[in-house]
């Protein structure tokens, strides 16, 4: 599921779908889910796109990055199309699947994993499937306990009994009764899914969570599969910022970068990062293709950025291909990709993260 | 019928023995260069950037690393339905099986490969130079002069000319004579080992000289074409071109990449250098580290101080370690509190903590002074260096060494410590 937009991303999602947001220096959000699927030996993957999909489609230009280009299965990008029966956009997650029901019908795999593309995590879907079979569940929902105090009003919450069967489920409650949330990852039988979606469509209902999960919770055996490993959703500016900053922690880096299985992404053919005289880097991630001439502290610098002389970058995220002119000071900011910042500029996010979108004429490099 | 105007044959079978232990286990074209590349990436990228999409890579010496690197050529966009990259090792024949005995002999043994593409021209390249060159421009020159053979040449300082094969040309760049490493050179145009042949001329010459032992382009094929009165032309190239055949030149070429605007610029958009890269994560630079005047590859973790150096992918540099003027190749781990000066450390090396490399007086290397010189410390791949040892200059270490191998925890300047076999 990669079609959504989200107002919580503010200016960042004007440029791209949330799932195409760059994460951790060299990845995009959707890479985590796609890599998990590839590493779980799921060979047939359909990506639903709708909102502002150019950047995402560009990223998915080849299935080879995630090893999906096999003779069995493959990577399918399903965008809304006009047909003789239908001229609607995807009106919801269930509708997106309904509009591509032939794809589901023509598949032969017994099970379906539904996952969103805006989360950062590692998960072996086979384990979820084994659990699903063991519990004789109709639907298994992957859940995660959020740290107490984390605002969770933008998630779906679940309450389980001792056997992990889900008893109660609420979508984006104002006052949450639990801190267990649904990760937006579901496992169920393909025929079961087709049946539910068809019924849903008959009643002109379009959302998988609201119109299927919550309505069926007492009728079907819906189980929760809890994960206690790293899991973050990036679909708000604050969470996007903090997820990136998490990668400055050694344990998070080791978990994602050093421990098998790997996370894959599109390879960009960029030269190594280059540090010239004046470069002073402290506790930061720097990606390939960057040229650094200034000070970078507690920041994540994405691919192919140029940081000029006497610049100071603090507690910030610099997205792909940003040019920062000399003597610039940036603190607590997210600098939008392909931006060009004039020399002698100053951007400080006070009382929160500031999103910097600057598209000046780039000086010839 | 398949038809390619020009195909390339890339000679990548040589050992490159002057790189010492760096090529003990890999062919020279597979040696790492510039943080994330291997030497062969440069001619391969030149091919695809010049529109040459059919490349035969001739391998012989230690080809494993080379084969896995090239694969089916995806990294260079050379995975083609027709053409693309083909690795060509020597093979057994019903009669007269032999290794590739010389540069031209290797090409001769692959006449069938070239024939299958029905080319007009064949480009002969070697896999051990660092440069960016548009072979299409050279081909235009070749066509414009109605040449049958064109040799790329480069002007070199007159005093150095005696180290090269020298071409003597007339005012139209037609080659009138040539000399191999002449004591008194008559020209300063050095051959770069890059040739364009008309396919018919090449085939005819290779078949005519097939019985020549160790058939070589410079020694036999070019002189043969010249004797036959074929029009031979010299194509002058004035860009950056570096033969990285010695440890000193290899080290220098790496260091030149660090310059503010290097003469050889990897950051240009229009002539990208491609490589197979499997490590993606960004590099992490810790709070108390320093990185100045250096280039560092993906996924490296730097906790120490790195000055004026080229660091590959997936390298770990421990706390308090100081690295100066060095080349650290992929996936090497360096412990804490080390000091490295002018070291070339190959891939997958484990260096303990408090190790000093490149300290003490200069002394000539005792076993191979022509290889290990200029004060460099060279460490071969997969070597292990134990904690707390100090190693002098002009030294070489190769293999899993332990404390017992170091007298008083020391390897004096000029010593060689080689524990890994061929």
């Amino acid at each position: 599921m990669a079609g959504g937009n989200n107002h919580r991303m503010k200016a960042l999602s004007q440029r791209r779908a949330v799932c195409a947001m760059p994460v951790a220096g060299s990845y995009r959000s959707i890479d985590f889910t796609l890599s998990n699927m590839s590493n779980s030996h799921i060979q047939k993957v359909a990506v639903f796109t709708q909102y502002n999909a150019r950047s995402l489609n560009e990223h998915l230009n080849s299935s080879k990055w995630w090893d999906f280009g096999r003779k069995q299965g493959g990577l399918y990008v399903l965008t809304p199309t006009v047909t003789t029966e239908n001229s609607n956009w995807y009106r919801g997650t269930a509708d997106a699947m309904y509009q591509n029901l032939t794809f589901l019908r023509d598949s032969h795999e017994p099970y379906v994993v539904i996952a969103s593309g805006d989360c950062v995590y590692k998960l072996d879907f086979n384990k979820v499937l084994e659990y699903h079979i063991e519990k004789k569940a109709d639907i298994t929902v992957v859940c995660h306990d959020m740290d107490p105090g984390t605002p969770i009003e933008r998630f779906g919450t679940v309450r389980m009994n001792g056997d992990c069967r889900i008893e109660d489920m609420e979508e984006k409650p104002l006052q949450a009764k639990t801190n267990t949330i649904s990760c937006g990852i579901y496992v169920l039988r393909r025929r079961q899914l087709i049946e539910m979606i068809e019924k849903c469509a008959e009643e002109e209902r379009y959302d998988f969570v609201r119109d299927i999960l919550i309505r069926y919770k007492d009728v079907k055996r819906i189980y929760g599969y809890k994960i206690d490993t790293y899991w973050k959703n990036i679909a708000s500016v604050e969470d996007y910022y903090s997820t990136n900053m998490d990668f400055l922690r050694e344990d998070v880096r080791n978990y994602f970068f050093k421990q098998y299985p790997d996370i894959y992404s599109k390879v960009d053919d960029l030269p190594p990062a280059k540090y010239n005289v004046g470069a002073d880097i402290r506790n930061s991630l720097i990606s390939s293709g960057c040229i650094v001439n200034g000070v970078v502290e507690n920041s994540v610098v994405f691919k192919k950025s140029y940081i000029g002389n006497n610049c100071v970058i603090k507690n910030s995220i610099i997205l792909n291909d940003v040019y920062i002119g000399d003597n610039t000071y940036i603190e607590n900011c997210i600098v939008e990709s392909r931006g060009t910042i004039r020399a002698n500029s100053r951007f400080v996010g006070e009382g929160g993260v500031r999103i910097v979108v600057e598209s000046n004429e780039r000086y010839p490099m | 019928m398949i038809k390619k105007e020009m195909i390339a044959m890339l000679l990548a079978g040589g050992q490159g023995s002057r790189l010492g232990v760096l090529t003990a286990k890999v062919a020279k074209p597979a040696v790492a260069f510039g943080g994330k590349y291997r030497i062969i990436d440069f001619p391969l990228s030149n091919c695809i950037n010049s529109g040459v999409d059919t490349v035969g890579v001739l391998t012989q010496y230690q080809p494993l690393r080379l084969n896995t690197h090239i694969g089916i050529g995806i990294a260079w966009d050379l995975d083609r339905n027709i053409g693309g990259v083909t690795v060509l090792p020597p093979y057994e024949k019903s009669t007269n099986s032999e290794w590739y005995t010389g540069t031209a002999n290797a090409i001769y043994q692959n006449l069938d490969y070239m024939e299958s593409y029905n080319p007009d021209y064949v480009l002969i390249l070697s896999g051990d130079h660092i440069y960016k060159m548009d072979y299409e421009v050279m081909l235009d020159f070749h066509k414009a002069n109605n040449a049958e053979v064109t040799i790329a040449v480069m002007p070199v300082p007159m005093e150095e000319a005696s180290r090269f094969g020298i071409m003597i040309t007339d005012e139209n760049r037609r080659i009138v004579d040539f000399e191999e490493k002449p004591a008194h050179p008559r020209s300063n145009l050095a051959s770069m080992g890059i040739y364009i042949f008309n396919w018919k001329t090449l085939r005819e010459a290779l078949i005519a000289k097939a019985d020549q032992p160790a058939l070589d382009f410079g020694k036999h094929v070019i002189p043969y074409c010249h004797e036959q009165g074929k029009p031979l032309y010299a194509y002058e190239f004035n860009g950056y071109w570096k033969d990285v055949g010695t440890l000193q030149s290899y080290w220098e070429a790496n260091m030149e990449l660090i310059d503010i605007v290097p003469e050889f610029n990897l950051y240009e958009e229009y002539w990208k250098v491609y490589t197979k890269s499997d490590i993606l994560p960004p590099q992490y630079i810790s709070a108390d580290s320093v990185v100045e005047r250096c280039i560092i590859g993906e996924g490296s973790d730097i906790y120490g101080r790195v000055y004026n150096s080229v660091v590959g992918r997936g390298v770990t540099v421990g706390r308090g370690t100081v690295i100066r003027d060095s080349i650290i190749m992929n996936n090497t781990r360096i412990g804490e509190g080390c000091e490295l000066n002018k070291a070339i450390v190959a891939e997958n090396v484990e260096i303990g903590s408090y190790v000093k490399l490149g300290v003490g007086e200069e002394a000539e290397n005792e076993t191979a002074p022509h290889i290990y010189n200029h004060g460099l410390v060279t460490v071969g791949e997969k070597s292990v260096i134990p904690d707390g040892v100090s190693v002098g200059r002009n030294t070489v270490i190769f293999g899993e060494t332990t404390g017992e191998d170091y007298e008083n925890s020391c390897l004096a300047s000029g010593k060689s410590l080689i524990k890994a076999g061929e």
Side-chain angles (χ1 to χ4, degrees), chain B residues 221-256:
Chain B
V221 176
I222 302 291
Y224 172 81
C225 293
H226 189 55
E227 280 159 27
Q228 299 288 310
K230 310 276 189 198
L232 272 60
Y233 279 80
Y235 169 73
E236 189 175 322
F237 178 72
N238 284 302
Y240 182 95
W241 180 84
K242 193 101 180 176
D243 179 12
V244 287
T246 65
L247 286 173
Q248 167 67 9
S249 64
Y250 172 80
W251 180 81
E252 270 175 15
N254 272 281
M255 292 300 138
E256 282 166 5

Side-chain angles (χ1 to χ4, degrees), chain B residues 41-79:
Chain B
D41 292 336
F42 297 91
L44 280 180
S45 300
N46 285 339
C47 279
I48 196 68
N49 289 337
S50 305
V52 177
D53 67 3
T54 307
V55 185
V57 179
L58 297 110
T59 60
Q60 175 158 292
Y61 176 80
Q62 291 279 18
L64 176 63
R65 186 82 47 84
L66 207 49
N67 288 339
T68 51
H69 183 64
I70 293 171
I72 60 167
I74 288 177
W76 304 270
D77 226 359
L78 286 169
D79 52 328

Side-chain angles (χ1 to χ4, degrees), chain A residues 301-350:
Chain A
V301 183
F302 285 70
K303 295 179 195 174
K304 216 180 143 194
S305 290
Y306 175 87
I307 296 171
N309 293 314
N310 290 320
C311 286
V312 177
I313 316 289
K314 266 190 191 165
N315 308 327
S316 293
I317 294 171
I318 313 290
L319 296 185
N320 296 313
D321 195 12
V322 170
Y323 181 95
I324 300 177
D326 298 348
N327 312 316
T328 293
Y329 185 89
I330 296 177
E331 189 176 344
N332 265 338
C333 290
I334 298 175
V335 180
E336 177 58 286
S337 58
R338 290 179 237 296
T340 300
I341 292 179
R342 284 208 186 93
N344 311 312
S345 309
R346 187 181 162 86
F347 297 96
V348 180
E350 286 172 27

Side-chain angles (χ1 to χ4, degrees), chain B residues 356 358-366 376-377 389-397 405-417:
Chain B
K356 289 187 162 67
V359 290
E361 296 294 305
E362 285 278 333
E364 194 174 72
N365 185 274
E366 57 186 15
L376 292 164
V377 180
V389 299
S390 84
V391 175
R393 299 169 198 272
N394 296 322
T395 47
V396 53
I397 296 172
D405 299 314
Y406 299 84
E407 212 175 304
N408 301 325
S409 294
C410 239
L411 187 71
S413 291
K415 296 278 184 193
S416 302
L417 176 54

Side-chain angles (χ1 to χ4, degrees), chain A residues 258 270 272 274-275 283 286, chain B residues 36 259 267 283-284 294 301:
Chain A
K258 303 266 164 83
L270 292 167
K274 186 160 184 281
Y275 302 94
N283 188 34
I286 312 284
Chain B
K36 67 181 287 192
D259 296 341
Y267 297 80
Q283 53 200 264
Y284 176 73
C294 50
D301 286 336

Side-chain angles (χ1 to χ4, degrees), chain B residues 65 332 346-350 379-384 398-400:
Chain B
R65 186 82 47 84
T332 280
E347 298 172 47
N348 297 299
V349 172
E350 294 279 340
V379 182
E381 65 175 59
K382 294 184 184 148
S383 295
V384 176
F398 186 32
E400 290 186 24

Side-chain angles (χ1 to χ4, degrees), chain A residues 39-330:
Chain A
N39 290 330
S40 306
H41 309 291
I42 297 176
Q43 289 181 312
K44 191 173 192 177
V45 175
V47 179
F48 293 90
T49 70
Q50 171 158 287
Y51 173 79
N52 210 350
R54 190 198 56 79
S55 180
L56 185 62
N57 286 340
E58 202 176 290
H59 187 64
L60 302 175
N61 71 348
S62 167
S63 53
K64 68 184 169 195
W65 314 121
W66 304 273
D67 219 5
F68 285 134
R70 302 295 111 192
K71 300 218 165 175
Q72 296 278 330
L75 182 72
Y76 299 81
V77 179
L78 304 179
T79 42
T81 52
V82 174
T83 63
T84 42
E85 298 98 52
N86 175 47
S87 56
N88 288 311
W89 293 92
Y90 293 155
R91 286 163 291 184
T93 42
D95 188 43
M97 287 187 275
Y98 181 74
Q99 289 192 28
N100 293 284
L101 205 60
T102 42
F103 177 85
L104 274 172
R105 277 218 190 93
D106 295 348
S107 297
H108 62 85
E109 293 80 356
Y111 291 96
V112 182
V113 174
I114 300 173
S116 61
D118 56 359
C119 299
V120 173
Y121 63 108
K122 273 186 178 181
L123 179 62
D124 184 350
F125 293 115
N126 290 313
K127 295 233 172 83
V128 188
L129 180 59
E130 280 166 25
Y131 176 90
H132 177 82
I133 293 167
E134 187 196 310
K135 292 282 182 191
K136 298 194 171 60
D138 291 314
I139 304 176
T140 298
V141 180
V142 177
C143 305
H144 181 69
D145 283 345
M146 299 297 271
D147 293 332
T150 326
I152 51 175
E153 64 272 15
R154 65 188 188 84
F155 297 106
T157 59
V158 296
R159 215 176 58 227
M160 303 183 229
N161 68 10
D163 189 37
C164 293
R165 182 161 175 181
I166 291 176
E167 293 184 321
D168 194 14
M169 212 176 207
E170 282 185 285
E171 180 69 345
K172 303 183 174 105
L174 281 174
Q175 179 86 53
K177 297 187 202 90
T178 153
N179 67 334
T180 306
I181 59 135
S182 155
C183 298
I185 303 164
Y186 317 101
V187 173
L188 67 169
R189 266 180 35 247
R190 183 172 55 88
R191 285 178 197 285
Q192 169 89 77
L193 176 66
I194 292 171
E195 199 180 291
M196 285 173 160
I197 290 173
E198 278 180 330
K199 208 159 178 193
C200 199
E202 271 169 31
E203 297 166 0
E204 302 205 344
R205 296 172 187 269
Y206 306 119
D207 189 70
F208 184 76
V209 176
R210 226 177 17 246
D211 301 328
I212 294 180
L213 276 186
I214 293 179
R215 290 184 71 233
Y216 279 92
K217 71 176 188 291
D218 300 321
V219 185
K220 295 283 182 187
R221 292 167 61 86
I222 303 183
Y223 276 79
Y225 176 89
K226 244 187 209 180
I227 52 171
D228 53 5
T229 46
Y230 187 97
W231 181 90
K232 272 275 184 89
N233 178 287
I234 59 146
S236 78
V237 171
E238 295 71 30
D239 284 340
Y240 177 71
Y241 180 83
S242 72
T243 304
N244 276 292
M245 288 302 169
D246 280 347
F247 280 84
L248 295 180
R249 275 161 44 195
E250 195 170 359
D251 57 324
V252 175
R253 280 202 315 280
N254 280 345
Y255 179 61
F256 283 103
F257 297 165
K258 303 266 164 83
Q259 280 172 29
Y260 190 80
D262 294 339
I263 304 296
Y264 315 107
S265 189
K266 186 178 160 188
V267 174
D268 270 342
D269 295 300
L270 292 167
K274 186 160 184 281
Y275 302 94
N276 291 326
V277 177
D280 184 0
I281 320 292
R282 284 158 203 282
N283 188 34
S284 295
L285 283 169
I286 312 284
S287 309
S288 50
C290 288
I291 300 178
V292 184
N293 297 296
V295 178
V296 180
E297 216 177 301
N298 305 326
S299 297
V300 180
V301 183
F302 285 70
K303 295 179 195 174
K304 216 180 143 194
S305 290
Y306 175 87
I307 296 171
N309 293 314
N310 290 320
C311 286
V312 177
I313 316 289
K314 266 190 191 165
N315 308 327
S316 293
I317 294 171
I318 313 290
L319 296 185
N320 296 313
D321 195 12
V322 170
Y323 181 95
I324 300 177
D326 298 348
N327 312 316
T328 293
Y329 185 89
I330 296 177

